[in-house]
Amino acid sequence: MSKTRLATAALPAAAAALVSLLLLSTAAPAEDLQSKVDAKEATLSKVRERKGVLTTTITRYRKRIESLTGEIAALRSHESRVRVRLNAKQAELDRAVADLKVAKRHLAVVRARLERALVALRERLVAIYEAGTPDMLSVIVSADGYDELIDRAEYLNRIEGLDESVVARVRQLRDQVKRTVARLRSTKNRIEAARNAIGAEQQALAEARAAVQSRQAALVTARQGREAALGRINTVERHMEGSLAKIQARIAAQLQSTTSAPLPAGPIRYGSGQLIWPVDGPVVSGFGMRWGRLHAGIDIAVPAGTPIRAAAAGSVVLLESEASSGGYGNFTCLDHGGGLQTCYAHQSSFAVSSGQSISQGQVIGYVGCTGHCFGDHLHFEVRVNGAPTDPLGYL
C-alpha cells in the first residue's frame, strides 16, 4: 500500500519533469532563432546608423552638385558675354583695317599731288631766278603808253598771284599729308589695341571653357559617388531586412508547429484602432520609404497557410492573381465605405470572390509568399481615398 502511494505521489513529479523537458526541447530552437533575430536587428541597427552617415554624405553630394550646377551656369553665361565682346572687337578690327586701306590710298594720292606741286614750284623758282624779279618801277618806265602800262601792271599782278597760289597749294598739300600720316598712326594704334583686346578675350574664353569642363568633370564624379553610396546602402539594407523577415517567419512557423491544437484562424487580435489585426504576428517591416521607394504597408511575419481575417466589414473590390498584380502576388482589396480600403498581398490562396460581402474577422485568404517577397508573411495596406496610409494608425 505504501509503495502504491509512493508511486502515485511520484507520477505528478515525473509528468512535470516530462513537460519541462518537452518545453525545453521546443523552446530551444525558437530561442536560438530569436538570438539570430536579435543579432540581425543589432546588425541592421548598425547598418541604419551607417545609412545615416551615408545619407549625410549623399546630402553633401547633392549640395555640391547644386553648387557646381550654379557655377557651370555662371561660367556659361560668362562665356556667352566673352563671345559677344569678342565679336565686337573683331568688328572693330575689321573697320580699322578698312579705314587703314582707305587712308593708305588717300595718302598715295595726296603725296602724288604734293610731288606735282613741288615740281611746279621748283620750275617757277628757277624761272624767277633766271629772268630776275620785275618790279613795278621798271614796268612803268619801260611802258610806251598808258594802255601798255595797264597791261604790264595787270600781268605782273597775275604772275604774283600765281606764285602765291603755287606756294599755298604746296602748303595745303603738305598739311594734308601730315594729317593723313597722323590718321594712319591713329588707325594703326587702334588696330593694335583691338588685336590686344581680342587676344585677352580669347584667353578669357579659353579659361572659361576650361573651368566649365573642370566643373562638369567634378559634377560627374560627385554624381557617381552619390549613386555608389545609394547602391551600397540599399543592397545592405535590403539583404538585412530580407534575412530578418525569413528568420521571423521561421520563428512563427516553428511556434505554430509546436502548438498542440491551434484554431483554424487563431484568436482575433484587437488593437486600439477601428480595425482588427488580419493576422497575429510581429511587424518585420514598417510603413515608409524603403529601398528608395515607398513601402505602402506593413509586413507581418506568420507561417504559410495562416488564415487572413478581414480587418473590417466590407466588400471585395479587387481580386488579382500573382500573374497580374505586379509583385503583390495573390492580392485582395476590401472596401469598407467612407473612402477606407484595406489590401492583403502575397497570399498563397483566396477564400473569397470578387464583389462578395465580407464581415469583420471573416477569413478572406491564406498567408504565403507569392509575388516579390523574401519569406512567408502578410503585406497589409490601409488606403484612404486611394492614398496609402500607415496601417498602425488604424490597428
Side-chain angles (χ1 to χ4, degrees), residues 1-2 8 15 17 31 49 65 84 147 156 169 223 225 234 250 259 265 277 292 306 316 343 365 367 391:
M1 187 68 175
S2 60
T8 304
E31 290 176 357
E49 289 178 4
I65 287 171
V84 171
D147 292 335
L156 183 61
R169 180 62 175 164
R223 283 178 176 169
N234 288 338
R250 287 174 60 191
T259 304
W277 284 72
T306 299
V316 180
C343 298
V367 172

Side-chain angles (χ1 to χ4, degrees), residues 159-187:
I159 290 175
E160 290 178 354
L162 288 174
D163 291 342
E164 291 177 357
S165 176
V166 170
V167 172
R169 180 62 175 164
V170 169
R171 288 175 179 172
Q172 180 184 3
L173 291 174
R174 181 195 61 194
D175 294 341
Q176 192 172 0
V177 167
K178 288 181 179 180
R179 288 193 300 271
T180 302
V181 170
R183 192 172 66 195
L184 284 174
R185 287 177 180 173
S186 176
T187 302

Side-chain angles (χ1 to χ4, degrees), residues 12-348:
L18 180 60
V19 170
S20 298
L21 289 174
L22 288 173
L23 289 175
L24 288 173
S25 65
T26 56
E31 290 176 357
D32 183 59
L33 288 176
Q34 187 61 47
S35 65
K36 289 183 179 180
V37 168
D38 294 339
K40 290 289 184 181
E41 287 180 344
T43 304
L44 186 58
S45 178
K46 292 180 181 179
V47 169
R48 284 171 177 162
E49 289 178 4
R50 178 59 179 164
K51 180 178 181 178
V53 175
L54 289 177
T55 300
T56 302
T57 303
I58 289 169
T59 300
R60 288 201 305 270
Y61 286 157
R62 178 179 56 79
K63 291 180 179 179
R64 181 60 176 158
I65 287 171
E66 291 174 355
S67 175
L68 289 175
T69 301
E71 291 181 22
I72 288 174
L75 287 171
R76 285 175 177 168
S77 177
H78 175 66
E79 184 178 0
S80 178
R81 292 194 298 270
V82 168
R83 288 182 185 276
V84 171
R85 292 200 299 271
L86 184 60
N87 292 336
K89 290 299 180 183
Q90 185 62 48
E92 183 180 353
L93 178 59
D94 294 341
R95 290 194 299 271
V97 171
D99 292 343
L100 181 60
K101 290 180 180 179
V102 173
K104 284 183 178 180
R105 289 196 298 268
H106 183 66
L107 180 60
V109 172
V110 171
R111 282 179 173 171
R113 290 176 182 174
L114 179 58
E115 186 66 26
R116 290 194 297 271
L118 288 173
V119 170
L121 180 58
R122 190 164 42 250
E123 291 176 351
R124 177 59 184 158
L125 291 174
V126 170
I128 291 174
Y129 175 77
E130 292 176 349
T133 304
D135 54 11
M136 185 60 67
L137 181 60
S138 61
V139 170
I140 294 173
V141 171
S142 61
D144 293 334
Y146 180 74
D147 292 335
E148 186 178 355
L149 176 63
I150 296 299
D151 292 339
R152 287 188 175 188
E154 184 180 353
Y155 177 71
L156 183 61
N157 289 334
R158 290 179 62 188
I159 290 175
E160 290 178 354
L162 288 174
D163 291 342
E164 291 177 357
S165 176
V166 170
V167 172
R169 180 62 175 164
V170 169
R171 288 175 179 172
Q172 180 184 3
L173 291 174
R174 181 195 61 194
D175 294 341
Q176 192 172 0
V177 167
K178 288 181 179 180
R179 288 193 300 271
T180 302
V181 170
R183 192 172 66 195
L184 284 174
R185 287 177 180 173
S186 176
T187 302
K188 287 181 179 179
N189 291 336
R190 195 166 78 247
I191 290 175
E192 188 66 25
R195 284 177 175 171
N196 291 338
I198 288 175
E201 295 294 336
Q202 286 177 332
Q203 180 66 26
L205 181 59
E207 291 175 357
R209 286 177 177 172
V212 169
Q213 292 172 352
S214 175
R215 297 293 188 230
Q216 286 176 335
L219 179 60
V220 170
T221 301
R223 283 178 176 169
Q224 290 174 345
R226 180 184 180 186
E227 292 170 356
L230 280 173
R232 289 194 301 271
I233 194 168
N234 288 338
T235 299
V236 172
E237 189 174 20
R238 184 165 54 249
H239 174 73
M240 292 302 302
E241 288 185 345
S243 298
L244 189 59
K246 288 180 179 179
I247 294 174
Q248 292 280 16
R250 287 174 60 191
I251 289 175
Q254 192 174 74
L255 292 176
Q256 181 70 19
S257 64
T258 59
T259 304
S260 57
L263 294 174
I268 295 177
R269 178 180 174 183
Y270 294 94
S272 58
Q274 66 188 83
L275 304 179
I276 65 170
W277 284 72
V279 292
D280 187 8
V283 175
V284 293
S285 184
F287 177 89
M289 295 305 297
R290 186 179 73 174
W291 309 332
R293 58 186 177 86
L294 177 66
H295 183 231
I298 60 174
D299 292 342
I300 307 172
V302 288
T306 299
I308 302 169
R309 295 182 181 273
S315 60
V316 180
V317 294
L318 182 66
L319 200 70
E320 287 190 340
S321 65
E322 180 179 7
S324 59
S325 66
Y328 277 104
N330 294 325
F331 186 55
T332 303
C333 285
L334 307 181
D335 182 67
H336 308 290
L340 180 65
Q341 295 178 331
T342 57
C343 298
Y344 313 78
H346 307 308
Q347 301 174 62
S348 61

